[in-house]
Amino acid sequence: MDNYLSGLPDNVSHLRQRAGFQLIEHDLIQPLPEDWPVDAVFNLASPASPPYYLAHPIETARVNAQGTYHLLELARHHGARYLQASTSEVYGDPLVHPQPESYWGNVNPNGIRSCYDEGKRFAESLVMDYCRLGLDARIIRIFNTYGPRNRADDGRVVPNFIDRALRRLPLPVHGDGSQTRSFCYVEDLVRGMLAAQLHDGTRGEVFNLGNPGEFTMLELAELVQRLTGDASGVEFQPAREDDPSRRRPDITKATAKLGWTPRVNLEEGLRRTIAWFREHGA
Ligand code: UDP
């Protein structure tokens, strides 16, 4: 299900012929018919790229509040398993490093990013209330994930750098480029997401899912340029408001309880993503 605010129908065109696959265009801010049969709900409905949620703050806050409520009700009605995609943004600009699930975060409650940060935090709170009332639910906190099928105009740093490098344009680095992120390849994330939903003993649990390798944006720019053979350099731009200065997941819990660790390091993941962008990208 998608309303295509930031997603693209082409991304699932290879699945259309599969038996049992159905794609429904729907905005989850609107109620759902209760009689849709479901065994499991994976709620990933929300813009996740800063330029998209900054352009659609009300929709972002509403889909994380009302959309989550509608899917929780659907899951409750059918006794289905429920997985909530949350985000490392719930930690805000973290004062604890790396971030374990037990850290409550350092979030601006009404800044420009709060439609997303507080939207996800509200969603977490609602999920846990349904869980305490009997729903079989869990939460994953996704750290900066990238890979094939990212939009070229997604706006997040990995697709943006790759798109620009392939077009031989300088890479726009916000601030001084010393801020860090930990980048997870999409296949690793999907494995972790399925494990969190399907493993026994995950009800009511919160899991960080991300790759603990931590890189500055300048290091990322250098790596993308090396792998694409681009020599256009970087151009510095003003830092984003409320931009977290560092971020790295503590994945001890996911490793212990789900047997999950990421397998694809940044260089390998970038190689695969660049290959995909060369073929399909711009
Ligand atoms: N960033 C950048 N250039 C870009 C896009 C992003 O320097 O073209 C920076 C951004 O300011 C942030 C980091 O890269 O410090 C990660 O940004 P992104 O939008 O990918 O995700 P975030 O972790 O902020 O949600």
Side-chain angles (χ1 to χ4, degrees), residues 11 144-152 154 156 158-159 162 183-187 269-270 272-274 276-277:
N11 279 346
N144 295 69
T145 296
Y146 69 96
R149 299 195 178 86
N150 263 146
R151 295 173 71 127
D154 176 281
R156 278 171 287 192
V158 172
I162 292 177
F183 297 103
C184 185
Y185 187 64
V186 62
E187 255 176 41
L270 286 176
R272 294 188 200 179
T273 310
I274 290 165
W276 189 88
F277 266 69

Short mmCIF file of all heavy atoms in Angstrom, two decimals, residues 11 144-152 154 156 158-159 162 183-187 269-270 272-274 276-277:
data_model
loop_
_atom_site.label_atom_id
_atom_site.label_comp_id
_atom_site.label_asym_id
_atom_site.label_seq_id
_atom_site.Cartn_x
_atom_site.Cartn_y
_atom_site.Cartn_z
N ASN A 11 8.93 0.81 -8.54
CA ASN A 11 9.82 0.06 -7.65
C ASN A 11 9.31 -1.35 -7.35
O ASN A 11 10.08 -2.20 -6.94
CB ASN A 11 10.01 0.81 -6.33
CG ASN A 11 11.05 1.91 -6.47
OD1 ASN A 11 11.79 1.94 -7.44
ND2 ASN A 11 11.09 2.80 -5.49
N ASN A 144 19.78 5.24 8.93
CA ASN A 144 20.15 5.59 7.54
C ASN A 144 20.36 4.40 6.60
O ASN A 144 21.46 3.86 6.50
CB ASN A 144 21.42 6.45 7.57
CG ASN A 144 21.17 7.77 8.26
OD1 ASN A 144 20.95 7.82 9.48
ND2 ASN A 144 21.17 8.85 7.52
N THR A 145 19.31 4.04 5.90
CA THR A 145 19.37 2.90 4.98
C THR A 145 19.34 3.39 3.54
O THR A 145 18.69 4.38 3.23
CB THR A 145 18.21 1.95 5.30
OG1 THR A 145 18.41 1.44 6.62
CG2 THR A 145 18.16 0.78 4.33
N TYR A 146 20.08 2.66 2.68
CA TYR A 146 20.23 3.09 1.28
C TYR A 146 20.32 1.85 0.41
O TYR A 146 20.53 0.73 0.91
CB TYR A 146 21.52 3.92 1.12
CG TYR A 146 22.75 3.05 1.28
CD1 TYR A 146 23.41 2.52 0.17
CD2 TYR A 146 23.18 2.67 2.55
CE1 TYR A 146 24.50 1.66 0.33
CE2 TYR A 146 24.26 1.82 2.71
CZ TYR A 146 24.91 1.32 1.60
OH TYR A 146 25.95 0.45 1.76
N GLY A 147 20.18 2.05 -0.90
CA GLY A 147 20.40 0.93 -1.81
C GLY A 147 19.69 1.14 -3.13
O GLY A 147 19.12 2.22 -3.38
N PRO A 148 19.72 0.10 -4.00
CA PRO A 148 19.00 0.17 -5.25
C PRO A 148 17.54 0.56 -5.01
O PRO A 148 16.96 0.18 -4.00
CB PRO A 148 19.09 -1.26 -5.79
CG PRO A 148 20.34 -1.80 -5.19
CD PRO A 148 20.45 -1.17 -3.84
N ARG A 149 16.96 1.29 -5.93
CA ARG A 149 15.59 1.80 -5.89
C ARG A 149 15.42 3.04 -5.02
O ARG A 149 14.32 3.56 -4.92
CB ARG A 149 14.56 0.72 -5.51
CG ARG A 149 14.55 -0.43 -6.50
CD ARG A 149 13.31 -1.31 -6.34
NE ARG A 149 13.31 -2.36 -7.34
CZ ARG A 149 13.93 -3.54 -7.20
NH1 ARG A 149 14.58 -3.81 -6.09
NH2 ARG A 149 13.89 -4.43 -8.16
N ASN A 150 16.48 3.53 -4.41
CA ASN A 150 16.40 4.91 -3.89
C ASN A 150 16.12 5.81 -5.08
O ASN A 150 16.67 5.61 -6.16
CB ASN A 150 17.76 5.35 -3.30
CG ASN A 150 17.88 5.20 -1.80
OD1 ASN A 150 18.96 4.91 -1.31
ND2 ASN A 150 16.83 5.40 -1.05
N ARG A 151 15.30 6.82 -4.88
CA ARG A 151 15.08 7.78 -5.96
C ARG A 151 16.34 8.63 -6.17
O ARG A 151 17.00 8.98 -5.19
CB ARG A 151 13.97 8.77 -5.59
CG ARG A 151 12.62 8.20 -5.43
CD ARG A 151 11.67 9.26 -4.89
NE ARG A 151 11.38 10.28 -5.90
CZ ARG A 151 10.15 10.65 -6.25
NH1 ARG A 151 9.10 10.10 -5.68
NH2 ARG A 151 9.97 11.57 -7.16
N ALA A 152 16.61 9.00 -7.40
CA ALA A 152 17.75 9.90 -7.66
C ALA A 152 17.50 11.25 -6.99
O ALA A 152 18.43 11.92 -6.55
CB ALA A 152 17.94 10.08 -9.16
N ASP A 154 15.79 11.61 -4.19
CA ASP A 154 15.37 11.31 -2.82
C ASP A 154 15.78 12.41 -1.84
O ASP A 154 15.05 12.73 -0.91
CB ASP A 154 16.00 9.97 -2.41
CG ASP A 154 15.71 9.59 -0.98
OD1 ASP A 154 16.37 10.14 -0.07
OD2 ASP A 154 14.83 8.75 -0.75
N ARG A 156 18.28 12.29 0.28
CA ARG A 156 19.19 11.84 1.32
C ARG A 156 20.59 11.72 0.76
O ARG A 156 20.80 11.67 -0.45
CB ARG A 156 18.71 10.51 1.92
CG ARG A 156 17.63 10.74 2.97
CD ARG A 156 16.99 9.48 3.42
NE ARG A 156 16.11 8.94 2.41
CZ ARG A 156 15.23 7.96 2.62
NH1 ARG A 156 15.14 7.41 3.82
NH2 ARG A 156 14.45 7.55 1.65
N VAL A 158 23.18 9.58 0.52
CA VAL A 158 23.77 8.56 -0.35
C VAL A 158 23.24 8.67 -1.78
O VAL A 158 24.04 8.83 -2.73
CB VAL A 158 23.60 7.13 0.23
CG1 VAL A 158 24.05 6.08 -0.79
CG2 VAL A 158 24.40 6.98 1.52
N PRO A 159 21.91 8.61 -2.01
CA PRO A 159 21.45 8.75 -3.40
C PRO A 159 21.84 10.09 -4.01
O PRO A 159 22.16 10.16 -5.20
CB PRO A 159 19.93 8.59 -3.32
CG PRO A 159 19.58 8.67 -1.88
CD PRO A 159 20.80 8.33 -1.10
N ILE A 162 25.54 9.91 -5.05
CA ILE A 162 25.74 9.02 -6.20
C ILE A 162 25.21 9.68 -7.47
O ILE A 162 25.88 9.72 -8.51
CB ILE A 162 25.07 7.65 -5.97
CG1 ILE A 162 25.79 6.90 -4.85
CG2 ILE A 162 25.06 6.82 -7.26
CD1 ILE A 162 25.15 5.56 -4.48
N PHE A 183 25.59 3.88 7.84
CA PHE A 183 24.75 3.57 6.68
C PHE A 183 24.53 2.07 6.55
O PHE A 183 25.48 1.29 6.51
CB PHE A 183 25.40 4.10 5.41
CG PHE A 183 25.53 5.60 5.42
CD1 PHE A 183 26.76 6.21 5.68
CD2 PHE A 183 24.43 6.41 5.19
CE1 PHE A 183 26.88 7.59 5.70
CE2 PHE A 183 24.54 7.79 5.20
CZ PHE A 183 25.77 8.38 5.46
N CYS A 184 23.27 1.69 6.42
CA CYS A 184 22.90 0.28 6.36
C CYS A 184 22.41 -0.05 4.95
O CYS A 184 21.58 0.66 4.39
CB CYS A 184 21.79 0.01 7.38
SG CYS A 184 21.33 -1.72 7.53
N TYR A 185 22.91 -1.15 4.38
CA TYR A 185 22.47 -1.57 3.06
C TYR A 185 21.07 -2.19 3.17
O TYR A 185 20.78 -2.93 4.11
CB TYR A 185 23.47 -2.57 2.48
CG TYR A 185 23.17 -2.91 1.05
CD1 TYR A 185 23.24 -1.94 0.05
CD2 TYR A 185 22.82 -4.21 0.67
CE1 TYR A 185 22.95 -2.25 -1.27
CE2 TYR A 185 22.54 -4.52 -0.65
CZ TYR A 185 22.61 -3.53 -1.62
OH TYR A 185 22.31 -3.83 -2.92
N VAL A 186 20.25 -1.91 2.17
CA VAL A 186 18.82 -2.25 2.26
C VAL A 186 18.56 -3.74 2.51
O VAL A 186 17.67 -4.09 3.28
CB VAL A 186 18.05 -1.73 1.01
CG1 VAL A 186 18.56 -2.36 -0.27
CG2 VAL A 186 16.55 -1.90 1.17
N GLU A 187 19.36 -4.62 1.87
CA GLU A 187 19.14 -6.06 2.06
C GLU A 187 19.32 -6.48 3.51
O GLU A 187 18.58 -7.30 4.03
CB GLU A 187 20.17 -6.83 1.24
CG GLU A 187 19.62 -7.45 -0.01
CD GLU A 187 20.75 -8.10 -0.80
OE1 GLU A 187 21.65 -8.75 -0.20
OE2 GLU A 187 20.72 -7.92 -2.02
N GLY A 269 28.16 -2.00 -0.41
CA GLY A 269 26.81 -1.51 -0.62
C GLY A 269 26.77 -0.36 -1.62
O GLY A 269 25.87 -0.28 -2.47
N LEU A 270 27.77 0.51 -1.54
CA LEU A 270 27.83 1.63 -2.49
C LEU A 270 28.10 1.11 -3.90
O LEU A 270 27.51 1.59 -4.87
CB LEU A 270 28.91 2.63 -2.08
CG LEU A 270 28.60 3.51 -0.88
CD1 LEU A 270 29.80 4.40 -0.53
CD2 LEU A 270 27.37 4.39 -1.13
N ARG A 272 27.18 -1.71 -5.19
CA ARG A 272 25.93 -2.27 -5.73
C ARG A 272 24.94 -1.16 -6.08
O ARG A 272 24.25 -1.23 -7.09
CB ARG A 272 25.28 -3.21 -4.71
CG ARG A 272 26.12 -4.44 -4.42
CD ARG A 272 25.31 -5.38 -3.56
NE ARG A 272 26.15 -6.34 -2.86
CZ ARG A 272 25.68 -7.25 -2.03
NH1 ARG A 272 24.39 -7.32 -1.77
NH2 ARG A 272 26.50 -8.09 -1.43
N THR A 273 24.89 -0.15 -5.24
CA THR A 273 23.93 0.94 -5.47
C THR A 273 24.35 1.77 -6.68
O THR A 273 23.50 2.16 -7.51
CB THR A 273 23.83 1.82 -4.21
OG1 THR A 273 23.61 0.97 -3.08
CG2 THR A 273 22.68 2.81 -4.31
N ILE A 274 25.64 2.01 -6.80
CA ILE A 274 26.14 2.78 -7.96
C ILE A 274 25.84 2.00 -9.25
O ILE A 274 25.39 2.58 -10.24
CB ILE A 274 27.66 3.06 -7.80
CG1 ILE A 274 27.87 4.09 -6.69
CG2 ILE A 274 28.27 3.55 -9.11
CD1 ILE A 274 29.30 4.19 -6.17
N TRP A 276 23.43 -0.02 -9.80
CA TRP A 276 21.99 0.11 -10.08
C TRP A 276 21.67 1.50 -10.64
O TRP A 276 20.92 1.65 -11.60
CB TRP A 276 21.17 -0.17 -8.81
CG TRP A 276 19.71 -0.25 -9.11
CD1 TRP A 276 19.02 -1.38 -9.47
CD2 TRP A 276 18.75 0.82 -9.08
NE1 TRP A 276 17.70 -1.06 -9.69
CE2 TRP A 276 17.51 0.27 -9.46
CE3 TRP A 276 18.84 2.19 -8.79
CZ2 TRP A 276 16.35 1.04 -9.54
CZ3 TRP A 276 17.70 2.96 -8.88
CH2 TRP A 276 16.46 2.38 -9.25
N PHE A 277 22.27 2.53 -10.04
CA PHE A 277 22.03 3.90 -10.52
C PHE A 277 22.54 4.09 -11.95
O PHE A 277 21.93 4.79 -12.74
CB PHE A 277 22.70 4.92 -9.59
CG PHE A 277 21.79 5.46 -8.53
CD1 PHE A 277 21.35 4.65 -7.49
CD2 PHE A 277 21.34 6.77 -8.55
CE1 PHE A 277 20.50 5.13 -6.51
CE2 PHE A 277 20.49 7.27 -7.57
CZ PHE A 277 20.07 6.44 -6.55
#
